[in-house]
Amino acid sequence: MAAPVPPGAPRATNAPPPPPPNYNPNYQRTPDSLAENMQNLQINRPPSVPNSTPRPPPSYIQSPASRPSSPYSAPQHSAPFPGAVPVSRPGPSPGPQTGFPARPGMAPTGPPQSTFPPNMAPGRPSGYPISQAPPFGSRPPTGSFPSAMGGQITTSSGAPPSPFGSSSAAPPSAFLASGFSAGPVIPPVAARSGVFASSPLSTGPVMPPSSAPGGPISNGPPMFASGALQGGPRYPSADNTMQPPVGPPPTMLSTQAPSQPPTMRTLLGSTVPNVPPSPPVQTAPTAMPFSAAPPGVPPPSGSPYGLQTWPTQPRQVAPPLTIPGTVQPPRMFGMPQPPPPNQPMAAVPPAMSQTGAPLAGPSKIDPNQIPRPIPNASVILHETRQGNQANPPPPATSDYIVRDTGNCSPRYMRCTINQIPCTVDLLTTSGMQLALLVQPLALPHPSEEPIQVVDFGESGPVRCSRCKGYINPFMKFIDQGRRFICNLCGFTDETPRDYHCNLGPDGRRRDAEERPELCRGTVEFAASKEYMVREPMPAVFFFLIDVSMNAIQTGATAAACSAINQVITDLPEGPRTMVGIATFDSTIHFYNLKRALQQPLMLIVPDVQDVYTPLQTDVIVQLSECRQHLELLLENIPTMFQNNRIAESAFGAAIKAAFLALKSTGGKLLVFQSVLPSVGIGALSAREAEGRTNIIAGEKEAHKLLQPADKTLKTMAIEFAEYQVCVDVFITTQNYVDIASIAVIPRTTGGQVYYYYPFSALSDPAKLYNDLRWNITRPQGFEAVMRVRCSQGLQVQEYSGNFCKRIPTDVDLPGIDCDKAIMVTLKHDDKLQDGSECAFQCALLYTTVYGQRRIRVTTLSLPCTSMLSNLFRSADLDTQFACFLKQAASEIPSTPLSQVREQVTNLCINILHSYRKFCATVSSSGQLILPEALKLLPLYTLALIKSTGLRTDGRIDDRSFWINYVSPLSTPLAIPLVYPRMMAIHDLNSHEGDRPLIPPTIPLSSEHVSDDGIYLLENGDDSLIYIGNSVNPEILRQLFGISSVEEIPSQFVLQQYDNSLSKKLNEVVNEIRLQRCSYLRIKLCRKGDASGDVVLLIHGRRQDFKRTLLC
């Protein structure tokens, strides 16, 4: 048994080898193995699983490599990428590409894989070729849209973006630079918004094509067509031409400060507004910088909004330039343009007939006038600062390329409001939340410059001696550069002698542009020895597999073994990569993988109450020494346990024993679990029946079933985090497993829960393989610590995400990867000065998979304001809603669902009420006036209320998984989770010529669903194909190989048949999977079951299709 090692104690390991030359921390291995980051998300399905029902031949883009003797082996033919053409970008040449240590040669263990072209540099690619599938150099922003396929490139500053290339015109953008365009006239009765309208959705790289012999051919490679790609970015092409923004000028609202404002709280406990004393709302006779007047309208004098604190960012369909002094009354949706300022406005009743008379019956509005997400096909070129002022970021769901000019990229850090309120009263009056969403290792756009690594040597990076903030572009040097003032705490420090530089005429250091830490918002510092309490940990991967009777019989064990066997080749190469494996049912089985043995040796631990590791060594060994033994063992495990009749599972004891093996090094523990843990440490009982009874009866205690059953697993998880063990759990089950209790471990250790319910040996092995491969190959770090600092006047109130927090100021992250985001809630502790800037800095200390200790520092500086109108103008919808979503998820386990729904509704009401009361002038009762930046907030709030987490029906495990899925969710994926996109797939053949690969999205309301159509819905995690009753049989035959809806199978695997419609459907599905960086399972449902309802399966839940579509 390994001796306990206290956290931070030095351990006997060799010093890590020096990093590869020009090592880029965004890439964790050689490109041919990492496959340019997202290439690891192979779109494929392994062949049949032993002990499972027969299934059709493989149908995915690329079958994973496997040994011929593997239960999943199958022949395949891979096709390499054609040559890649880089996209030009501004600035000097990046120089030599990032290098990686070469992988030692070894005999292939399976069919040939796709390879990268010889002209693909191993470092960060600069862009995608236009004529073929792009490589996965880095993941584009989710929800982005194309330029190279015909969309327009728009700069954030209005300057011509020639260095990036350009493209043709595109539809209007959903993100307007104007501050207050008119809101819709929405009467209080019979006004129901749609939640499934076309939304900006995520994108991802494209996989290399492959094919499978015989039968239906594989789920074919994505194909490029010209034209704007709806829902997926295609990056700028050098030969495209620039088109100016077009579109009608929006109107704006003028502010009016009533005598008394409502009292609104910003947390989930918000209540309906009441009326306390009003805080001052300042006005100033200056131009409205976020507005525009219609052509020919004479400008009135004065604007109540005050002075603009940053330049505007013209977007696609950006408004004309501001006319000084422009003020316009609010224009409602469905109403004509307002008259000139000198003409009176007519009173607008809540609803009017065609003749202008008020309607006598229930009021209605044109559904087409309801605010809906507008897909934007332009690529936005965003400069984070311009003219020494912060530029508001583009929407998180849009496609943008960032040029870091002082502030960090919004991919790494976003604020809910891009102007910081000076006082807590102003923030409370707005009803909005002040928080940061931090994603420190987010994947950049392929056309963006790489993050620079700065090495200060043994002295370490320059820091403030009081608050310990890191040197950044906003620290001011004085006294000819001999001293500097910290922008976080205001303390004046002496400049280190070897860091001194004279100041120029502008007061900046003369070498500021040559030092990344003084001109970039995001930079990495090489950590010196003072940041290490022990040698950096190696890359350790330990696999723990459930071999109980249920797991064997459902094929889950075979699927797990096959997936592990195929991803072994994708683990980081080198002597620092170590692996181990164990299996468990009611006992625990370790395996000695020492090379000297002729075959792996099983070591059984029968005591599941007081577990131990049978060996101090040889349980975890170097991958290079045990590869053959490991592959042999994984091929034989399903056969070894095929007659197992033990139904119990010692899950808690098994992870405890695996932890003891990892305790001396730390590392990743990947657990494959199929049944409810029933014996040993942390044994659980079935609470699902009790929970179902409570929910039906409406009892208030039902939500407690979403809390862990006891504190045993939580105590274990804290110990795991202390010794830097990160746990990921892959739940392959067909029954209740109490995710609420199990998920405590991955949530505390920085891991993740993967949920496959009900597990199908026919369709789920492909998703399991792709999820596992992306998990181990995506950019990630180990033994991380993160802290967020902010300027005086603000302080961090709370962190939210997947981590362990042992001290108030820091969060411990045994594992951190590019997909994880952390919400940081802020609060005022003093008044801020109007016109000044408030800075936020996130510092992440972590170890790369190559054993390098790094500090990633991300800095954001935003202006402060004392005007309420500026807060609404600068609100970030995506970040605001992501905070809504995460706060609601955190409340569900401790609060009845009815109260959570009410709290979420009140949050939205308070914001809109504050805007109407303080920032809108002309309105009548029954009219809903929405701020331009938040006009979709009611729609997304309604979608959230209808989501899995807040619905009263459904399974306990489904809701528990939803809560844990939301916890680390990134900002670009928050809206698609509750507001999926829907597209028609029965008419794909009509999309010819310059049409985008993915068809246009359809508003999610029932009037857009016809009985003779077939529709695809996806939310970033799962997808659904809905088939109407009157669909043409020929279309069914071409797409699914069936002649009527009665033949729809209960378990479905998408095949590609020999016709153009089937080929296009496969291309669409593959493109969506690649955009989402996730292998989406496809469910089929049809209209016309016994109850007349259509079942929608997303996250394994059952719900009425008509209730899902918001009418």
Side-chain angles (χ1 to χ4, degrees):
M1 175 174 178
V5 178
R11 61 177 187 269
T13 55
N14 295 327
N22 299 324
Y23 171 72
N24 185 344
N26 288 321
Y27 294 85
Q28 305 301 331
R29 57 181 298 109
T30 54
D32 60 324
S33 57
L34 175 60
E36 293 297 299
N37 288 332
M38 262 306 299
Q39 181 68 27
N40 299 302
L41 183 68
Q42 292 195 4
I43 306 304
N44 62 0
R45 178 177 62 80
S48 60
V49 184
N51 304 322
S52 65
T53 57
R55 61 185 178 191
S59 62
Y60 302 99
I61 287 183
Q62 183 175 355
S63 297
S66 60
R67 295 174 59 87
S69 58
S70 168
Y72 282 74
S73 61
Q76 70 174 8
H77 304 280
S78 61
F81 275 117
V85 181
V87 176
S88 62
R89 56 190 179 199
S93 173
Q97 294 292 330
T98 303
F100 294 86
R103 172 178 296 178
M106 56 177 293
T109 59
Q113 293 290 314
S114 299
T115 58
F116 284 83
N119 65 342
M120 177 66 66
R124 180 189 310 274
S126 57
Y128 291 172
I130 302 305
S131 60
Q132 75 253 354
F136 285 71
S138 56
R139 184 175 66 189
T142 52
S144 44
F145 292 86
S147 68
M149 306 313 296
Q152 175 173 345
I153 300 178
T154 309
T155 63
S156 64
S157 60
S162 57
F164 287 100
S166 56
S167 56
S168 59
S173 170
F175 185 89
L176 300 179
S178 62
F180 297 99
S181 71
V185 181
I186 301 182
V189 182
R192 302 177 57 196
S193 304
V195 161
F196 279 43
S198 59
S199 60
L201 295 170
S202 65
T203 68
V206 179
M207 307 293 299
S210 66
S211 61
I217 65 175
S218 68
N219 190 354
M223 295 183 62
F224 281 78
S226 58
L229 178 56
Q230 178 95 11
R234 289 295 176 266
Y235 303 116
S237 173
D239 57 357
N240 289 337
T241 58
M242 183 71 173
Q243 295 290 339
V246 294
T251 60
M252 67 177 185
L253 306 177
S254 57
T255 56
Q256 179 177 359
S259 59
Q260 291 182 336
T263 294
M264 284 160 285
R265 295 180 300 180
T266 60
L267 300 178
L268 275 177
S270 301
T271 58
V272 178
N274 37 39
V275 184
S278 169
V281 179
Q282 300 183 7
T283 62
T286 55
M288 253 308 289
F290 280 77
S291 64
V297 177
S301 59
S303 168
Y305 294 110
L307 185 63
Q308 169 67 10
T309 57
W310 58 42
T312 59
Q313 281 194 108
R315 301 273 187 253
Q316 176 72 9
V317 200
L321 294 178
T322 302
I323 300 176
T326 300
V327 178
Q328 299 178 18
R331 177 173 62 87
M332 311 307 170
F333 280 84
M335 298 291 295
Q337 290 281 351
N342 296 330
Q343 298 182 12
M345 273 286 289
V348 181
M352 304 187 70
S353 65
Q354 293 181 355
T355 60
L359 295 176
S363 58
K364 292 185 178 181
I365 61 172
D366 183 359
N368 294 326
Q369 299 301 322
I370 297 175
R372 300 185 188 276
I374 302 175
N376 181 12
S378 67
V379 174
I380 300 170
L381 306 183
H382 173 67
E383 289 191 358
T384 57
R385 291 183 71 87
Q386 189 174 21
N388 200 29
Q389 292 180 331
N391 274 337
T397 50
S398 63
D399 184 13
Y400 57 93
I401 300 173
V402 176
R403 182 169 177 259
D404 186 339
T405 53
N407 271 345
C408 66
S409 166
R411 304 186 204 281
Y412 305 124
M413 186 188 301
R414 300 182 76 99
C415 189
T416 54
I417 312 173
N418 291 304
Q419 293 193 42
I420 307 302
C422 288
T423 64
V424 65
D425 291 338
L426 186 65
L427 178 64
T428 303
T429 301
S430 73
M432 291 187 285
Q433 306 168 84
L434 182 60
L436 300 170
L437 275 171
V438 182
Q439 194 175 352
L441 297 183
L443 289 176
H445 192 286
S447 298
E448 293 173 1
E449 294 293 332
I451 295 175
Q452 300 295 317
V453 179
V454 180
D455 190 350
F456 279 88
E458 291 300 322
S459 61
V462 177
R463 303 177 67 179
C464 172
S465 60
R466 178 194 284 176
C467 69
K468 302 302 180 184
Y470 291 85
I471 188 73
N472 62 78
F474 307 101
M475 286 187 171
K476 183 178 180 181
F477 286 85
I478 60 174
D479 194 14
Q480 292 301 314
R482 287 188 287 268
R483 294 185 298 164
F484 65 92
I485 303 173
C486 177
N487 62 314
L488 297 172
C489 68
F491 187 73
T492 301
D493 264 303
E494 296 291 332
T495 305
R497 181 173 300 178
D498 57 354
Y499 195 65
H500 177 268
C501 179
N502 291 327
L503 305 183
D506 58 354
R508 299 183 66 207
R509 286 172 54 118
R510 294 184 181 274
D511 63 349
E513 293 300 324
E514 302 170 4
R515 290 187 175 271
E517 72 275 14
L518 297 180
C519 64
R520 298 288 182 264
T522 304
V523 69
E524 279 208 346
F525 298 110
S528 56
K529 289 185 177 179
E530 65 177 311
Y531 294 91
M532 306 180 195
V533 294
R534 63 178 187 179
E535 290 296 324
M537 61 180 285
V540 182
F541 301 87
F542 195 98
F543 302 97
L544 189 60
I545 306 171
D546 186 353
V547 292
S548 62
M549 179 177 66
N550 182 273
I552 293 291
Q553 292 179 351
T554 60
T557 300
C561 291
S562 176
I564 298 170
N565 203 0
Q566 295 166 76
V567 301
I568 289 174
T569 57
D570 298 300
L571 293 173
E573 291 290 344
R576 295 181 57 84
T577 302
M578 306 178 73
V579 296
I581 189 170
T583 56
F584 67 98
D585 43 30
S586 62
T587 58
I588 308 162
H589 325 115
F590 284 91
Y591 298 89
N592 187 337
L593 300 174
K594 191 175 181 180
R595 175 187 292 177
L597 300 174
Q598 292 184 353
Q599 61 183 8
L601 177 64
M602 179 189 290
L603 305 166
I604 299 176
V605 179
D607 190 347
V608 293
Q609 296 295 339
D610 185 13
V611 296
Y612 56 90
T613 49
L615 292 175
Q616 293 185 354
T617 59
D618 299 335
V619 172
I620 298 177
V621 297
Q622 291 183 0
L623 175 62
S624 57
E625 296 182 1
C626 68
R627 185 186 299 270
Q628 292 182 353
H629 280 353
L630 185 59
E631 292 174 349
L632 177 63
L633 176 63
L634 289 167
E635 292 170 3
N636 291 327
I637 283 177
T639 305
M640 291 164 51
F641 294 95
Q642 63 182 350
N643 297 320
N644 191 5
R645 294 297 177 263
I646 299 175
E648 292 79 13
S649 168
F651 168 81
I655 59 173
K656 177 71 172 181
F659 160 70
L660 294 176
L662 289 164
K663 191 173 183 178
S664 61
T665 60
K668 285 181 70 76
L669 174 58
L670 301 107
V671 186
F672 298 84
Q673 169 73 7
S674 296
V675 295
L676 180 72
S678 55
V679 295
I681 303 172
L684 303 171
S685 59
R687 301 188 291 169
E688 185 183 31
E690 177 188 356
R692 188 182 300 113
T693 302
N694 286 342
I695 290 176
I696 294 174
E699 297 180 12
K700 296 181 180 180
E701 299 299 318
H703 61 270
K704 291 189 175 181
L705 298 170
L706 300 172
Q707 301 173 6
D710 56 44
K711 297 182 179 180
T712 303
L713 295 180
K714 177 66 174 180
T715 303
M716 291 172 53
I718 294 174
E719 186 181 12
F720 292 1
E722 184 179 357
Y723 287 89
Q724 309 300 336
V725 174
C726 173
V727 182
D728 294 302
V729 181
F730 298 78
I731 300 177
T732 53
T733 185
Q734 295 179 346
N735 301 292
Y736 171 78
V737 294
D738 197 353
I739 292 179
S741 297
I742 292 177
V744 168
I745 297 176
R747 189 165 183 170
T748 306
T749 61
Q752 186 173 345
V753 176
Y754 298 85
Y755 188 40
Y756 310 85
Y757 174 86
F759 180 79
S760 167
L762 177 67
S763 57
D764 287 337
K767 179 172 176 60
L768 179 65
Y769 164 74
N770 283 280
D771 288 346
L772 177 63
R773 189 166 191 234
W774 178 238
N775 179 285
I776 65 175
T777 56
R778 61 188 170 186
Q780 58 191 291
F782 305 131
E783 53 180 351
V785 180
M786 192 189 86
R787 175 183 292 190
V788 173
R789 298 175 174 89
C790 47
S791 295
Q792 287 181 319
L794 291 177
Q795 62 176 314
V796 174
Q797 180 178 11
E798 186 181 10
Y799 294 94
S800 177
N802 287 11
F803 55 79
C804 180
K805 188 176 179 183
R806 291 198 295 266
I807 62 175
T809 56
D810 297 350
V811 293
D812 296 333
L813 296 152
I816 179 71
D817 57 68
C818 61
D819 296 327
K820 299 289 193 308
I822 295 175
M823 183 174 71
V824 185
T825 307
L826 306 170
K827 67 177 181 180
H828 286 79
D829 59 10
D830 201 354
K831 184 177 180 180
L832 301 173
Q833 182 180 356
D834 191 8
S836 65
E837 289 206 351
C838 182
F840 308 94
Q841 187 177 84
C842 172
L844 177 74
L845 173 65
Y846 72 103
T847 301
T848 70
V849 295
Y850 289 106
Q852 298 168 311
R853 201 73 171 140
R854 293 285 176 82
I855 309 166
R856 178 165 293 195
V857 176
T858 304
T859 308
L860 175 66
S861 184
L862 297 175
C864 301
T865 184
S866 59
M867 288 184 290
L868 187 63
S869 57
N870 282 346
L871 299 186
F872 286 105
R873 184 185 306 121
S874 60
D876 189 313
L877 172 65
D878 303 78
T879 315
Q880 285 277 352
F881 180 76
C883 291
F884 269 44
L885 182 66
K886 291 174 182 288
Q887 289 186 0
S890 66
E891 289 285 330
I892 292 172
S894 59
T895 309
L897 286 177
S898 59
Q899 293 185 21
V900 178
R901 288 193 294 269
E902 182 180 359
Q903 291 167 0
V904 169
T905 303
N906 286 339
L907 278 174
C908 180
I909 290 174
N910 290 344
I911 295 173
L912 301 183
H913 181 271
S914 177
Y915 177 78
R916 178 191 181 96
K917 189 172 182 66
F918 298 116
C919 300
T921 53
V922 180
S923 63
S924 63
S925 60
Q927 291 178 348
L928 177 61
I929 301 179
L930 304 173
E932 176 62 26
L934 300 175
K935 66 183 180 182
L936 296 175
L937 185 60
L939 182 68
Y940 295 151
T941 302
L942 181 59
L944 173 58
I945 292 173
K946 289 173 172 278
S947 65
T948 302
L950 297 182
R951 292 176 62 92
T952 54
D953 56 356
R955 303 172 63 252
I956 295 294
D957 270 355
D958 294 340
R959 185 171 293 112
S960 296
F961 171 72
W962 187 89
I963 294 170
N964 285 277
Y965 180 83
V966 166
S967 176
L969 193 65
S970 63
T971 306
L973 293 178
I975 290 176
L977 177 66
V978 301
Y979 192 91
R981 61 175 163 180
M982 178 171 69
M983 60 203 73
I985 58 175
H986 55 274
D987 57 353
L988 292 176
N989 280 333
S990 64
H991 299 174
E992 301 290 348
D994 295 338
R995 295 290 186 90
L997 178 62
I998 295 182
T1001 55
I1002 300 173
L1004 287 178
S1005 68
S1006 55
E1007 63 263 20
H1008 293 278
V1009 179
S1010 64
D1011 204 36
D1012 59 352
I1014 304 176
Y1015 303 90
L1016 173 67
L1017 297 95
E1018 63 87 19
N1019 68 350
D1021 186 62
D1022 270 314
S1023 59
L1024 167 81
I1025 293 179
Y1026 168 73
I1027 304 175
N1029 273 341
S1030 305
V1031 176
N1032 187 335
E1034 179 60 22
I1035 296 178
L1036 289 176
R1037 186 193 63 79
Q1038 293 181 24
L1039 289 178
F1040 311 117
I1042 58 178
S1043 58
S1044 71
V1045 294
E1046 305 298 332
E1047 301 177 16
I1048 293 177
S1050 58
Q1051 296 188 26
F1052 174 72
V1053 175
L1054 182 64
Q1055 304 288 336
Q1056 180 169 319
Y1057 299 95
D1058 190 15
N1059 62 78
S1060 61
L1061 187 61
S1062 177
K1063 180 180 179 181
K1064 290 181 179 179
L1065 174 59
N1066 277 263
E1067 292 171 353
V1068 168
V1069 171
N1070 291 333
E1071 180 67 11
I1072 293 173
R1073 286 169 170 167
L1074 296 163
Q1075 288 176 4
R1076 296 305 191 194
C1077 303
S1078 174
Y1079 187 94
L1080 307 182
R1081 294 193 297 178
I1082 300 177
K1083 304 288 184 180
L1084 287 186
C1085 74
R1086 64 184 180 90
K1087 182 179 179 181
D1089 57 8
S1091 63
D1093 295 333
V1094 176
V1095 174
L1096 175 61
L1097 296 172
I1098 293 182
H1099 288 309
R1101 71 179 185 267
R1102 298 170 58 89
Q1103 64 186 46
D1104 185 282
F1105 186 69
K1106 292 182 180 179
R1107 293 176 63 189
T1108 303
L1109 301 184
L1110 302 183
C1111 302

